[in-house]
Amino acid sequence: MMASPTIQDIFLEFYPQYLKKYQPSFDQHRAANAIMNCKTGRLGANVSVCEECGTIALHYNSCRNRCCPMCQSIQKEKWIDLRREDVLDAPYFHMVFTVPHELNPLIYNNQRLLYDALYHASSETIEQLAAQEKHLGAKVGYICILHTWGSELNFHPHIHTILLGGGLSRDLKWKDKGDKFFLPIKVISRVFRGKYLEKLKQFWETGKLNFTGSAEKYRGYCAFKKLLDNLYAKEWQPYCKKTFNGAQSVIKYLGKYTHRIAISNHRIKKIQGGNVVFAVKDYRNKGQWKDLTISGVEFIRRFLMHVPPRRFVRVRHYGLLCSRTKRKDLQLCRRLLGSRQYHSKLRDLNAVQIIETIWNIKVNVCRHCGCEGHMIAYGKIIPLRC
């Protein structure tokens, strides 16, 4: 039976055609090369030899690029496992901050600047409203994660927020409203809109915005002012999902959002006649899955739109989860709640032990003779650089 196609297969087949039509950025080209070379001889390999039967095993190196669907599994599992130590026995909510599609060209052409503005506007909105006595009157903790894609790989920047449903009051007492979400959605919408557009105006006034490509239409003063007027007139659409069912479900849920890339291999159905067929969610039909067919070059164009700027931090912690004060704040919260301390299961394990613990794969077992503990690391194969 023929193996299912992968994103690597798509890049190997269509990336040369893509380069004839488009000019990728440095970060995009770097990600594309990493995906094409991942787990191939071009990145080198590690060699192991069985002491019993002499079988030689080659393990090709991963590219470790965060946009590659074949990498980051161990790092993802370790990161999620460490978050166990931050979880409290308290309500949690999943909020999503979105912006109107009219902003997409401007955001795409000013990614680092306007992605940062998304984080700042959403975090300031939560902190301001949560601190007000009529809503909660407490300092809360939350994680913000940037996603830039829709199901069809279209450009759709938004912030996912995992929000603790309670916090510390000014007199260091625990406050929450149970499973009831404590912030009014309409107020969130207007405060978030005001904060983001205020930052946009500041960038305009200081000349920091880039109006190239599809954002060229907003370059002039009148066009930019008209854009702002239209955005102020719109009701923005943040929303909140239901509370999580216990602390362990929060930990599992984090993995669905923190290290996700634009599309994973399991959604690729086939490559046929210069086209790629992949599964997408049809939100107009109650989120039912359907197949979408686009050209291979267009697939790569859409995929590369979601390569973040180099060293851009996509997962950020705020409030009670801020790294500077997290240890002290969470210890106090646990005492006030009578909450148990969850411990990391993978903290002191090496890569071989993590692979065996999570996926039950014994790296040190010879696949030929089945002898356990006899696969000895022999050396590395380093690729030649031309």
Side-chain angles (χ1 to χ4, degrees):
M1 184 175 178
M2 189 174 179
S4 299
T6 65
I7 292 169
Q8 185 181 57
D9 295 330
I10 295 170
F11 270 85
L12 288 171
E13 182 166 344
F14 298 110
Y15 193 61
Q17 299 175 38
Y18 169 86
L19 290 177
K20 292 178 182 178
K21 190 173 181 180
Y22 298 103
Q23 181 65 45
S25 68
F26 173 80
D27 293 328
Q28 290 172 337
H29 186 61
R30 188 166 173 265
N33 275 324
I35 290 169
M36 289 187 288
N37 295 328
C38 187
K39 296 184 180 179
T40 69
R42 293 174 183 171
L43 297 182
N46 292 285
V47 183
S48 300
V49 179
C50 178
E51 286 185 320
E52 291 294 317
C53 68
T55 297
I56 298 174
L58 286 178
H59 306 280
Y60 290 111
N61 294 330
S62 300
C63 67
R64 298 187 181 181
N65 189 286
R66 57 179 166 172
C67 296
C68 177
M70 298 185 290
C71 288
Q72 305 300 320
S73 292
I74 291 180
Q75 288 81 358
K76 169 189 168 183
E77 294 297 335
K78 285 179 69 175
W79 186 91
I80 294 169
D81 184 67
L82 284 171
R83 300 288 75 75
R84 291 177 185 274
E85 300 181 352
D86 301 340
V87 171
L88 300 173
D89 289 317
Y92 282 83
F93 299 91
H94 177 196
M95 285 186 62
V96 182
F97 290 91
T98 61
V99 296
H101 69 274
E102 290 90 341
L103 277 171
N104 289 354
L106 205 56
I107 295 175
Y108 186 74
N109 284 278
N110 298 271
Q111 291 183 29
R112 189 179 295 274
L113 188 68
L114 296 186
Y115 288 165
D116 273 335
L118 273 175
Y119 284 102
H120 294 321
S122 55
S123 64
E124 289 169 13
T125 298
I126 292 173
E127 288 180 9
Q128 177 182 317
L129 294 179
Q132 295 176 7
E133 290 293 336
K134 61 181 178 181
H135 300 312
L136 185 65
K139 176 185 177 182
V140 295
Y142 50 102
I143 301 174
C144 290
I145 307 114
L146 173 71
H147 284 184
T148 61
W149 54 83
S151 182
E152 297 183 6
L153 293 182
N154 52 304
F155 188 69
H156 175 51
H158 53 284
I159 296 282
H160 289 274
T161 304
I162 310 299
L163 174 63
L164 180 61
L168 292 175
S169 63
R170 290 183 181 87
D171 56 355
L172 298 182
K173 293 182 180 179
W174 177 262
K175 295 184 71 174
D176 69 47
K177 294 190 175 181
D179 292 341
K180 180 182 178 183
F181 187 55
F182 56 93
L183 300 177
I185 291 297
K186 284 190 177 180
V187 177
I188 292 173
S189 171
R190 289 163 189 173
V191 173
F192 175 64
R193 178 185 63 190
K195 289 185 178 296
Y196 194 77
L197 293 183
E198 184 60 33
K199 294 179 189 301
L200 206 60
K201 286 191 288 187
Q202 291 173 4
F203 296 146
W204 162 266
E205 291 165 359
T206 54
K208 293 182 178 179
L209 291 176
N210 177 28
F211 292 94
T212 56
S214 55
E216 176 72 32
K217 58 187 176 183
Y218 299 135
R219 180 182 293 276
Y221 171 80
C222 293
F224 187 76
K225 186 178 184 304
K226 184 178 179 182
L227 170 66
L228 288 179
D229 290 342
N230 290 338
L231 293 172
Y232 273 115
K234 275 196 166 192
E235 284 290 341
W236 292 23
Q237 300 296 326
Y239 66 92
C240 176
K241 293 189 177 181
K242 292 180 180 179
T243 182
F244 296 100
N245 183 24
Q248 293 301 321
S249 67
V250 178
I251 296 166
K252 293 178 182 178
Y253 202 76
L254 280 170
K256 295 173 62 177
Y257 288 92
T258 53
H259 290 68
R260 182 183 284 182
I261 64 169
I263 186 172
S264 53
N265 282 330
H266 78 272
R267 287 177 54 195
I268 310 298
K269 295 296 187 68
K270 59 183 175 181
I271 303 171
Q272 187 176 53
N275 294 323
V276 176
V277 181
F278 62 102
V280 301
K281 269 189 176 181
D282 185 359
Y283 291 103
R284 296 175 183 173
N285 187 24
K286 300 180 181 179
Q288 296 295 312
W289 288 96
K290 67 176 185 179
D291 289 349
L292 177 67
T293 303
I294 58 176
S295 71
V297 171
E298 174 62 11
F299 180 95
I300 291 176
R301 186 193 73 82
R302 294 190 189 187
F303 184 94
L304 291 181
M305 283 196 300
H306 310 296
V307 174
R310 192 177 185 187
R311 295 178 180 171
F312 185 84
V313 180
R314 286 183 55 243
V315 183
R316 304 186 185 185
H317 302 74
Y318 298 91
L320 297 177
L321 298 179
C322 177
S323 58
R324 291 192 301 272
T325 59
K326 176 174 69 175
R327 185 173 181 179
K328 180 182 70 175
D329 286 345
L330 291 183
Q331 283 179 347
L332 176 57
C333 290
R334 286 192 190 97
R335 287 201 302 270
L336 295 171
L337 286 166
S339 176
R340 54 185 162 170
Q341 168 76 64
Y342 294 91
H343 295 286
S344 167
K345 297 178 180 178
L346 308 178
R347 178 185 288 278
D348 299 320
L349 303 184
N350 59 34
V352 171
Q353 292 169 327
I354 291 173
I355 291 171
E356 184 171 346
T357 300
I358 298 175
W359 296 288
N360 198 28
I361 298 174
K362 295 185 178 181
V363 177
N364 291 324
V365 173
C366 177
R367 296 184 180 180
H368 180 72
C369 68
C371 290
E372 185 172 349
H374 292 276
M375 295 300 293
I376 305 301
Y378 182 75
K380 294 182 179 180
I381 298 175
I382 302 174
L384 294 174
R385 303 295 182 187
C386 299

